[in-house]
Amino acid sequence: MVHHSAAGLDRSFAALSDATRRGVIERLGRGDASITDLAAKFEMTLTGMKKHVTLLEEAGLVSTEKVGRVRTCKLGPRRLEDETAWIERYRKLWDARFEALDELIETLTNKEETDGRHSKRK
């Protein structure tokens, strides 16, 4: 696996932190679209949409091509493997912690039940 810099992860997560940009990625997953089409779908100005697309472009998540007066957007070359790997490492960490917590709760519950039975007998 190729490791990208923390700055690359920061750019990706920053780009994906906004609901509109996530929506643009989802929309482009169904097919290419112009900036105009995207702006209309998300009910924003062309300038506003261009700013969102620029951030996605800088993260490598979207690429654009201008033909005449139309700038067409499509999914970029990045497939988020590094971001997925980063998230997976933390998912495994949290799974292990929750499993340990479950075991502790079960142990304490069993001890409490056992102690309760012993105190009732006295």
Side-chain angles (χ1 to χ4, degrees):
M1 175 173 87
V2 176
H3 292 283
H4 292 281
S5 69
L9 286 175
D10 290 347
R11 274 193 302 275
S12 296
F13 285 126
L16 295 171
S17 69
D18 182 84
T20 298
R21 292 190 289 270
R22 290 190 306 274
V24 168
I25 295 290
E26 288 178 27
R27 168 56 188 84
L28 295 178
R30 294 188 297 275
D32 300 353
S34 70
I35 297 275
T36 303
D37 292 339
L38 292 171
K41 177 177 177 15
F42 291 94
E43 299 178 351
M44 61 177 25
T45 65
L46 291 173
T47 303
M49 181 53 67
K50 178 66 176 129
K51 288 179 182 179
H52 283 295
V53 168
T54 297
L55 283 169
L56 290 167
E57 254 185 315
E58 289 171 355
L61 301 174
V62 167
S63 61
T64 63
E65 180 181 6
K66 188 170 184 178
V67 177
R69 295 175 53 125
V70 178
R71 181 169 297 278
T72 301
C73 305
K74 62 181 179 178
L75 289 179
R78 302 256 340 280
R79 295 181 48 192
L80 300 176
E81 287 98 354
D82 293 332
E83 293 77 5
T84 301
W86 186 88
I87 291 169
E88 182 64 14
R89 281 193 305 275
Y90 283 93
R91 187 194 63 76
K92 287 179 181 177
L93 175 98
W94 281 107
D95 283 349
R97 288 183 177 188
F98 283 126
E99 188 175 308
L101 180 60
D102 286 343
E103 291 171 8
L104 176 63
I105 290 170
E106 185 176 338
T107 299
L108 293 174
T109 301
N110 290 339
K111 183 177 179 349
E112 188 176 84
E113 288 172 359
T114 302
D115 290 348
R117 278 189 238 133
H118 290 301
S119 64
K120 287 181 183 177
R121 291 183 189 167
K122 292 181 180 180

